[in-house]
Amino acid sequence: MTTRILPTDSPELFDIAVREAVNLLSAGEVVALPTETVYGLAADATNADAVAKIFEAKERPSFDPLIVHLPHRNDLGTVAEVPEDVVPVIDKLARQFWPGPLTFVLPKKECVPDIVTAGLPTVAVRVSRDPAFMRVVRALGRPLAAPSANRFGSISPTSASAVKAELDGRIPLILDAGGAHCGVESTIIKVTQEPGKPKPTILILRPGPVTREDLKLHGKVIVASESKDRPDVPGQLPSHYAPRTPLRLIENPEDFTPEPGKRYALLSYRGDPDDGYLELTDWAGIHILSPGKGKLPEAAVRLFFAMRQLDQLGVDEIIAEPVNDFGVGLAIMDRLRRASVKH
Ligand code: TXA
Ligand code: MG
């Protein structure tokens, strides 16, 4: 199969690309679409055969559930059953963050095929704010199941060319809307309300652009990966988002001793000599995520692009500097930790 890339950078091209995407999706095909987080591989969420093509193209195991993207915020009730005790908080969060990079896990409605949720009784839902994505899903008038448009376990794509590198020849169409604005995947949460407690509990299953600090205003926030009882998060495997080159996260520069004869590349946060990483060895390549003072959202936008670039160098190991654990830094550290687990 030939994979076409359609640009969207003039009103005419945008219309043509949207029309083509809607035609393919209506016919039960998959299409790679931009979202504000990363590029997604979309199919009609109500068509199990179409969704099966996502799993096939990505070589994704059937136990890993997909995120369902709604045309509008008010469509939530078409795919999910919001428990009565969390209606007010879900409503507030949806009004504040949708369309945007926040995903809720909620009990699913019958109409969502089991293949979408990997047989779980819950469904993950969000509304994307990418203009091309919004036009496509609204014109289709049905929810779209869309995981990140990479091969399973690999780095999420933040550009059309990265999607092509991952899925060329496996999918018919990629819509190109330039670089993704957030650069890391949506924040996934599960909201519960214990009777008698004043505040709902917001469990962050995957940290993302909507931060712990943003969510604190709405309830008691728990981050699954930091929690003592480590809730089981489907699909969030220890090794994920990984380049082919081994990546090692070095929390302190003193923890790194280069081995003779080996070539290393550095994934640096600020490129600041005071951080102590630049001088550690004769790096074969350096990628700086946010030069200068270091801004976490800028680092998030560049993270997966930088990992792809360093992966091309053919070095023995990529060494990654840590970033601060607050704001979107929590999501960056989560991705770096998973990228650094041996697969
Ligand atoms: O930003 C994003 O969320 C991107 C764009 C394309 O929307 N999508 C994305 O999808 O990152 P994906 O498939 O790469 O990650 C989806 C993850 C699953 O691996 C799983 O961890 C979680 O969402 N998930 C989906 N359904 C779930 C459920 N019912 N319960 C718990 N977690 C669920
Ligand atoms: Mg993914």
Side-chain angles (χ1 to χ4, degrees):
M1 175 188 310
T2 338
T3 301
R4 285 186 307 149
I5 300 187
L6 289 181
T8 59
D9 43 12
S10 76
E12 295 74 31
L13 292 172
F14 189 90
D15 286 350
I16 293 169
V18 167
R19 208 174 318 130
E20 191 70 12
V22 173
N23 286 343
L24 283 164
L25 291 165
S26 308
E29 285 303 326
V30 294
V31 176
L33 296 175
T35 87
E36 71 278 38
T37 56
V38 300
Y39 276 66
L41 182 61
D44 177 351
T46 62
N47 178 344
D49 293 334
V51 174
K53 293 181 186 168
I54 296 180
F55 283 89
E56 201 181 302
K58 282 183 57 103
E59 294 174 40
R60 182 177 177 114
S62 58
F63 60 74
D64 192 359
L66 307 181
I67 295 178
V68 171
H69 299 67
L70 303 171
H72 297 276
R73 186 195 290 146
N74 329 350
D75 296 325
L76 180 57
T78 61
V79 296
E81 201 76 66
V82 185
E84 221 161 281
D85 53 356
V86 293
V87 167
V89 58
I90 296 284
D91 209 52
K92 257 201 272 171
L93 288 166
R95 256 183 286 133
Q96 182 172 347
F97 295 107
W98 278 2
L102 182 65
T103 299
F104 298 114
V105 172
L106 290 163
K108 85 172 189 86
K109 283 229 165 119
E110 192 94 36
C111 63
V112 182
D114 282 337
I115 184 169
V116 172
T117 63
L120 294 170
T122 52
V123 62
V125 257
R126 82 175 188 101
V127 181
S128 169
R129 67 165 178 240
D130 178 88
F133 194 101
M134 278 171 108
R135 270 281 298 279
V136 171
V137 71
R138 288 178 181 182
L140 185 74
R142 282 199 289 276
L144 284 173
S148 51
N150 50 279
R151 304 261 191 112
F152 182 70
S154 161
I155 307 166
S156 296
T158 51
S159 66
S161 60
V163 177
K164 193 167 160 70
E166 291 283 330
L167 299 174
D168 196 21
R170 294 167 171 243
I171 60 172
L173 182 65
I174 304 169
L175 254 58
D176 185 354
H181 288 261
C182 303
V184 290
E185 304 84 350
S186 64
T187 307
I188 305 179
I189 61 170
K190 202 171 209 168
V191 184
T192 49
Q193 174 71 60
E194 271 181 54
K197 288 266 168 73
K199 280 197 213 163
T201 301
I202 302 174
L203 176 65
I204 298 182
L205 300 175
R206 180 178 71 184
V210 172
T211 64
R212 176 195 340 227
E213 294 77 9
D214 293 330
L215 295 169
K216 262 186 190 154
L217 307 169
H218 298 274
K220 177 175 183 260
V221 179
I222 299 173
V223 180
S225 59
E226 293 173 356
S227 147
K228 279 193 301 299
D229 32 73
R230 288 265 168 163
D232 191 29
V233 186
Q236 287 291 293
L237 305 184
S239 166
H240 217 140
Y241 315 107
R244 275 179 297 270
T245 311
L247 182 146
R248 185 155 42 125
L249 176 64
I250 305 279
E251 309 258 358
N252 288 297
E254 304 85 76
D255 298 342
F256 176 67
T257 319
E259 282 177 45
K262 282 205 172 168
R263 293 172 72 239
Y264 299 93
L266 178 67
L267 182 58
S268 174
Y269 174 33
R270 304 185 286 204
D272 185 340
D274 289 347
D275 290 342
Y277 291 87
L278 291 178
E279 303 292 322
L280 289 176
T281 185
D282 194 7
W283 302 104
I286 298 175
H287 211 104
I288 301 169
L289 292 176
S290 179
K293 281 206 212 114
K295 295 192 183 72
L296 291 167
E298 182 181 42
V301 169
R302 293 185 181 171
L303 176 69
F304 289 145
F305 173 75
M307 275 163 61
R308 272 178 196 281
Q309 295 277 307
L310 294 177
D311 204 11
Q312 306 290 314
L313 297 178
V315 294
D316 292 291
E317 215 174 1
I318 299 167
I319 302 298
E321 289 180 21
V323 304
N324 300 321
D325 233 355
F326 59 79
V328 75
L330 186 67
I332 297 174
M333 286 300 279
D334 169 75
R335 307 310 187 267
L336 286 175
R337 290 202 179 99
R338 289 182 206 276
S340 68
V341 172
K342 287 202 181 63
H343 33 166

